[in-house]
Amino acid sequence: MDGRRLYLASASPRRRELMMNLGCDVNLIEPREVDESWPETMRPEVAPVYISRKKAEAYCHDLTPDMIVVTADTVVIADGKVLGKPHSADEARDMLKMLSGKKHLVVTGVTLTTTEGLHSFATHTTVSFDNLSDEAIDYYIENYKPFDKAGAYGIQEWIGYIGISGISGCYYNVMGLPIHDLFKHLALI
């Protein structure tokens, strides 16, 4: 990284853990308030990069030449619909029922920001769920409170152990940060 310092602008404990395990010094900075909406005409698969760039732009005026700021956004797309973070147990239950027995797409957009500009990329992972019983869904919601997770689940939690039958793509992308791709793109800037 040529003597530059890496900063993660995220409140996500999973992203912070993944970045810390990357093997380089990472500074954590608080994310700034950003409107995370996107144009209605935009395809859902494109939205995460769009949002990660909006998040990155909040830091552009505060950078020094030795800084690289990492921002990210993850969406779960099922049946052509974006599943955000659930606001209630009922909403989480509905999301998990929608995912049950089907495949869905997880897309994370990442932007690396320096004084030289913004470099963005997206990583796509397909996740397959077995059929989930109502009891399993209720147990997960009650014990794991997945209200801070897109699609109402964490692959690294109990529901991932018992419910996910397969993935095609990056496991860490489903957790919220495609570390393999991030490492490759850091070498490009």
Side-chain angles (χ1 to χ4, degrees):
M1 292 189 348
D2 299 328
R4 294 186 286 181
R5 295 175 296 150
L6 193 59
Y7 291 83
L8 175 65
S10 177
S12 165
R14 287 157 301 285
R15 283 192 187 118
R16 289 177 175 211
E17 175 186 353
L18 290 170
M19 285 290 289
M20 293 299 184
N21 290 330
L22 190 56
C24 53
D25 289 331
V26 178
N27 301 284
L28 302 175
I29 54 177
E30 287 303 311
R32 296 188 175 160
E33 279 297 315
V34 173
D35 172 19
E36 295 190 23
S37 63
W38 60 84
E40 289 182 24
T41 56
M42 183 176 284
R43 292 187 348 264
E45 297 84 1
V46 179
V49 166
Y50 179 81
I51 299 301
S52 75
R53 289 181 75 85
K54 284 173 81 172
K55 290 176 178 179
E57 289 167 357
Y59 298 93
C60 286
H61 300 295
D62 301 326
L63 297 176
T64 58
D66 64 337
M67 294 176 73
I68 301 172
V69 175
V70 179
T71 54
D73 190 68
T74 302
V75 297
V76 172
I77 304 168
D79 299 330
K81 180 180 176 183
V82 173
L83 303 182
K85 297 173 184 174
H87 297 99
S88 67
D90 287 339
E91 192 174 0
R93 191 172 295 106
D94 290 344
M95 287 181 186
L96 290 169
K97 285 183 178 185
M98 179 185 284
L99 299 175
S100 178
K102 298 179 187 171
K103 291 182 180 181
H104 64 276
L105 183 65
V106 178
V107 182
T108 301
V110 178
T111 298
L112 307 175
T113 307
T114 67
T115 54
E116 297 159 5
L118 281 68
H119 173 86
S120 300
F121 65 92
T123 300
H124 299 71
T125 303
T126 301
V127 180
S128 300
F129 260 103
D130 274 339
N131 288 313
L132 300 171
S133 69
D134 290 344
E135 294 79 17
I137 290 171
D138 289 341
Y139 174 84
Y140 177 66
I141 293 168
E142 184 176 317
N143 290 284
Y144 290 87
K145 315 281 190 249
F147 306 114
D148 65 337
K149 296 170 182 68
Y153 79 93
I155 192 170
Q156 72 281 5
E157 295 176 340
W158 181 82
I159 199 79
Y161 303 156
I162 64 101
I164 293 178
S165 59
I167 66 169
S168 177
C170 178
Y171 172 86
Y172 298 106
N173 183 49
V174 183
M175 285 180 68
L177 195 62
I179 291 295
H180 179 260
D181 287 347
L182 173 62
F183 191 74
K184 287 191 319 187
H185 284 270
L186 281 169
L188 299 175
I189 60 167

